[in-house]
Amino acid sequence: MKQANALLAGTGTTIFTIMSALAARHGAINLGQGFPDTEGPQDIVRAAADALLDNRNQYPPLTGLPVLKEAVADANRRFYGLNIDPASGVCVTSGATEAITACLMALLNPGDEVVLIEPLYDTYLPVVRMLGATARLVRLEPPGWTLPRAALAAAFGPKTKLLLLNSPMNPTGKVFTPEELGFIAGLLAQHDAYAVCDEVYEHLVFSGARHIPLMTLPGMAERCLRIGSAGKTFSLTGWKVGYVSGPPDLVALVAKAHQNLTFTTAPNLQRAVALGLAKPDAYFATLASGLQAQRDVLDAGLRRLGFATLPAQGSYFITADFSPLRFNGDDMEFARAITEQAGVAAIPVSAFYAGPAAPNHYVRFAFCKRQAVLEAALQNLARWLAPAANSTELPG
Ligand code: PMP
Ligand code: GLN
């Protein structure tokens, strides 16, 4: 038999699926894969259910229902003062995952270079490679995760077509600062490059940090494709409704990619998401403050247990250094051990690296869970750690 696609044959199953399966097998509390354990707003869910029953279940328009595209444009204006044309500047996709692929398809030719920032979300690199482009990796270093400006500048060159920017960032919880965004904007202008902005956690920002879309910076509106996700904004991760906003000439190409990927996205979900995006500001503020409280519970608990947690200003995730616990093994071994032995699943942070010598003493915990669940997870970890308190090493 001839060899099938070599790139996909060489791509492993995503770490989120691996750890969720392991958590299920061991009955562990799943703080690995990022999904809330409570339902999203009932009025949105009800609107989706009603929309299924009113006989409008055939193909919606290719780029999305006008009602949702208008809601996306309105939200861009309300939250960021962005001026997006609802008809030509928005494309609805089946999740941000599809949006990322569609944006990369829209912009890349084989041989182009793409600047990616490590640690990086797991779909970016395989898609860049499948499109025949070359990745230039720039690494943020813990614990500060600050942008290494010289390294970023050095990654840009004549072949650079785009930068993929994830802010608020998974897994670090970093929200890029105005100064960092300004530096990035300068490089994009200097090298005549685009940015694909993965902003799925745009409304999940805490501790006084503010999410600023790169697109709002001077000269950037023409260069940026901005991606949002209803899954994250409405705590309905299984819905897979995403939206791309940008200049009409680029969005038209995103739509061509979408046409060849999924063509459309479930119409009932689109109508319900339109309702969600029109919710008052209080909804979005409460979403963030609720998550901040959950983060604080997990952060304080992990610190009490001896982990060195890193600051998380956004997203669902907190990164914890387990080296103070004197565990005998790397992050994959630690994540497996706590899943199997303590009954708490986490994600090894080295899974977010493609380059050599990734840090291997951090795990990512998701805090988008009910407080009682977070407390139960902390108790499980405390029980597992207790016997080690008097010895020098944890079982590896
Ligand atoms: N980007 C990042 C950084 C993510 O963490 C996720 C997680 N779901 C996605 C994209 C995908 O979003 P969606 O579920 O809407 O496809
Ligand atoms: N974005 C989610 C996370 O980082 C996972 C999504 C997925 O499982 N593909 O946990």
Side-chain angles (χ1 to χ4, degrees):
M1 298 271 273
K2 286 183 177 155
Q3 196 193 12
N5 183 273
L7 229 152
L8 290 177
T11 301
T13 300
T14 163
I15 189 69
F16 310 116
T17 296
I18 290 173
M19 293 314 297
S20 283
L22 195 67
R25 202 151 61 243
H26 292 273
I29 297 173
N30 192 353
L31 304 188
Q33 193 178 27
F35 59 90
D37 63 351
T38 46
E39 273 297 327
Q42 281 309 292
D43 55 346
I44 302 183
V45 176
R46 166 65 51 201
D50 289 347
L52 277 178
L53 296 171
D54 71 0
N55 300 322
R56 283 190 276 176
N57 290 304
Q58 308 310 328
Y59 293 132
L62 163 66
T63 58
L65 286 175
V67 67
L68 177 53
K69 293 169 62 175
E70 271 154 32
V72 170
D74 287 349
N76 272 307
R77 179 168 295 102
R78 167 158 60 133
F79 293 110
Y80 312 115
L82 283 166
N83 192 18
I84 298 287
D85 178 50
S88 61
V90 177
C91 182
V92 176
T93 58
S94 298
T97 307
E98 190 209 334
I100 293 161
T101 296
C103 289
L104 293 173
M105 286 173 75
L107 293 171
L108 291 175
N109 286 315
D112 285 345
E113 288 185 4
V114 177
V115 179
L116 296 176
I117 300 178
E118 280 185 317
L120 79 180
Y121 188 58
D122 70 338
T123 65
Y124 300 166
L125 194 54
V127 176
V128 166
R129 287 185 175 150
M130 260 190 294
L131 294 169
T134 304
R136 301 288 301 264
L137 298 172
V138 177
R139 187 170 288 189
L140 305 185
E141 297 292 344
W145 307 115
T146 49
L147 188 69
R149 294 186 179 202
L152 186 69
F156 276 75
K159 289 187 175 172
T160 306
K161 178 64 72 68
L162 67 92
L163 166 88
L164 210 169
L165 183 68
N166 175 212
S167 182
M169 190 180 185
N170 179 5
T172 62
K174 174 187 172 68
V175 178
F176 281 71
T177 65
E179 294 73 26
E180 288 173 329
L181 295 171
F183 184 76
I184 290 170
L187 286 174
L188 295 177
Q190 184 190 336
H191 293 275
D192 188 24
Y194 299 97
V196 173
C197 303
D198 179 346
E199 301 181 12
V200 299
Y201 299 106
E202 59 185 320
H203 293 294
L204 315 185
V205 175
F206 338 111
S207 308
R210 199 160 76 86
H211 168 60
I212 302 170
L214 182 63
M215 187 184 263
T216 61
L217 273 67
M220 288 298 108
E222 300 313 304
R223 299 189 176 278
C224 292
L225 288 166
R226 197 179 92 75
I227 298 170
S229 165
K232 303 298 181 326
T233 297
F234 302 109
S235 311
L236 295 161
T237 58
W239 276 24
K240 305 298 285 188
V241 178
Y243 18 88
V244 179
S245 305
D249 55 337
L250 298 185
V251 170
L253 297 178
V254 173
K256 292 280 169 59
H258 172 62
Q259 166 178 306
N260 290 309
L261 286 167
T262 59
F263 175 55
T264 46
T265 298
N268 65 315
L269 301 182
Q270 290 196 48
R271 285 161 60 194
V273 170
L275 186 94
L277 284 174
K279 277 185 174 292
D281 291 354
Y283 165 77
F284 298 88
T286 307
L287 176 70
S289 60
L291 272 167
Q292 175 168 333
Q294 289 162 313
R295 177 204 63 179
D296 291 346
V297 168
L298 190 61
D299 188 14
L302 290 172
R303 285 187 164 271
R304 268 198 306 277
L305 293 174
F307 288 88
T309 56
L310 304 188
Q313 299 175 305
S315 83
Y316 284 149
F317 310 113
I318 192 160
T319 302
D321 182 354
F322 59 85
S323 38
L325 303 177
R326 300 193 305 271
F327 175 78
N328 184 22
D330 65 15
D331 59 347
M332 188 64 217
E333 289 161 330
F334 185 81
R336 274 190 182 280
I338 59 173
T339 307
E340 293 170 357
Q341 298 164 23
V344 179
I347 302 289
V349 168
S350 62
F352 295 84
Y353 289 80
N360 64 358
H361 52 98
Y362 292 96
V363 284
R364 187 197 80 174
F365 290 99
F367 51 76
C368 46
K369 308 289 173 182
R370 285 164 292 152
Q371 184 167 334
V373 172
L374 297 173
E375 279 163 1
L378 289 165
Q379 273 169 18
N380 284 1
L381 286 169
R383 259 195 304 277
W384 181 67
L385 286 167
N390 302 319
S391 74
T392 50
E393 262 188 5
L394 285 168

